[in-house]
Amino acid sequence: MTGVRLLSAEIHRLKNTWRVCRESCERMDAGSLRDWLEEIRRWISLNEFDVVTVQIINADDASIDDLDGEFAASGITKYGYIPPSRAHFDWPILGKMITSGERLVTFVKDLKVNGESDIGRYLIPEDAIIFETTYFVSDPESFTCNPEYPPAVKDRTSVALTSGRLPWMNHFISTRDSMGVEIPDVNKTTQINGGSGPFGNLAVTMTMCLKDWGRAPTFLLLDFFGTGIGMKTVDGLNGVRDPVGRMKTDGYSADVEHHVGGGHGTIGGRA
């Protein structure tokens, strides 16, 4: 497993439809959430030995019922991994997930959960499982390894780590367009995704976080993953040599996922 396996999408409600958009559906609309999920379902059905992770950035407070309706309509729910509990995890090995057919792991940011309802059990609240570093960074010298999300562990690295949450390292530079919408700062891509040069490059930040955390990040989020050392970095973390079946891509935005103990790296798109 050496290719695209993690997808991240920000969702908004527009005219009674859940859509994949970056902050503003008027400015950046990638289509309906249902269509996006259907495309993922088709890929999963054709690749029966692969596990895919999806992150939903729940920008407009979609409920579990809302999301379950979209997932069910897309036909993807049959692949959803259902944890024993939304609060406590003992992750299965990949082989078990593949043989059970539960090959889709779905994290949702800011998901309101009331108890252990049977509805949407495959929708996992991200704040209980993951901590993220700062999402919006406009200055290369501002990257840190301190948690920003969830609020319960903000700037409390030791608490985040001892809680068992998986580290998610955001590493990209953003700016805002004339309408105030967050967009990638393309002029700094080579520097930020590089392995040398000015402060703020990926090699420097990764070294800093490995030292601060005493472990590798489980997730690494990049823009333009086809530029720089993103894949090389994750391959190194996973001990991957001479990967096969990897298609060359320009890579607009990506999550690079490192599974501790899983022995595989994954890379995917950010909508």
Side-chain angles (χ1 to χ4, degrees):
M1 297 178 64
T2 58
V4 177
R5 298 296 182 275
L6 173 62
L7 302 170
S8 176
E10 180 177 324
I11 64 169
H12 293 262
R13 190 173 182 85
L14 180 67
K15 296 179 180 179
N16 295 320
T17 301
W18 288 103
R19 304 192 68 79
V20 177
C21 309
R22 181 81 64 84
E23 289 195 353
S24 168
C25 290
E26 286 75 16
R27 297 282 291 173
M28 292 187 176
D29 188 343
S32 73
L33 172 61
R34 188 174 303 180
D35 288 346
W36 187 73
L37 291 170
E38 285 180 353
E39 185 175 358
I40 298 171
R41 176 191 56 76
R42 287 193 292 270
W43 191 93
I44 292 176
S45 69
L46 294 172
N47 296 271
E48 58 185 10
F49 298 108
D50 288 280
V51 175
V52 174
T53 300
V54 165
Q55 181 203 42
I56 301 293
I57 301 174
N58 189 15
D60 280 352
D61 296 323
S63 67
I64 289 179
D65 286 340
D66 290 332
L67 293 175
D68 185 58
E70 297 300 307
F71 274 70
S74 74
I76 205 171
T77 55
K78 63 182 179 181
Y79 297 114
Y81 167 69
I82 300 176
S85 165
R86 284 194 171 105
H88 303 285
F89 282 76
D90 183 13
W91 291 104
I93 61 174
L94 286 175
K96 184 175 181 179
M97 297 178 75
I98 291 169
T99 55
S100 70
E102 294 184 342
R103 298 187 289 116
L104 175 72
V105 179
T106 304
F107 295 115
V108 184
K109 294 186 72 168
D110 301 317
L111 179 66
K112 295 179 175 64
V113 177
N114 295 317
E116 289 289 341
S117 169
D118 287 336
I119 298 175
R121 287 289 302 278
Y122 55 90
L123 300 170
I124 304 170
E126 181 186 315
D127 63 333
I129 307 300
I130 291 169
F131 75 84
E132 293 189 32
T133 60
T134 303
Y135 186 85
F136 185 88
V137 176
S138 59
D139 180 356
E141 296 190 6
S142 297
F143 286 115
T144 77
C145 303
N146 296 334
E148 179 185 64
Y149 180 90
V153 298
K154 180 178 172 61
D155 294 325
R156 303 168 70 193
T157 302
S158 61
V159 173
L161 290 168
T162 57
S163 72
R165 289 178 171 87
L166 306 175
W168 179 301
M169 177 178 158
N170 291 312
H171 189 79
F172 47 89
I173 290 290
S174 300
T175 186
R176 294 195 179 277
D177 66 12
S178 60
M179 300 296 291
V181 177
E182 180 257 321
I183 58 175
D185 190 339
V186 297
N187 295 323
K188 294 187 175 69
T189 300
T190 301
Q191 172 189 344
I192 299 307
N193 288 1
S196 62
F199 186 82
N201 66 68
L202 178 56
V204 167
T205 309
M206 180 62 71
T207 299
M208 180 169 61
C209 291
L210 288 172
K211 180 180 178 181
D212 287 0
W213 299 337
R215 57 160 294 174
T218 305
F219 305 96
L220 169 62
L221 180 62
L222 303 174
D223 277 331
F224 305 103
F225 63 86
T227 299
I229 63 168
M231 288 302 305
K232 181 179 178 180
T233 298
V234 174
D235 284 346
L237 293 173
N238 287 313
V240 173
R241 297 180 180 179
D242 302 321
V244 297
R246 181 177 290 168
M247 296 177 62
K248 184 174 178 58
T249 175
D250 291 335
Y252 178 72
S253 300
D255 296 322
V256 180
E257 178 184 0
H258 165 70
H259 276 260
V260 177
H264 72 280
T266 61
I267 190 165
R270 182 172 70 107

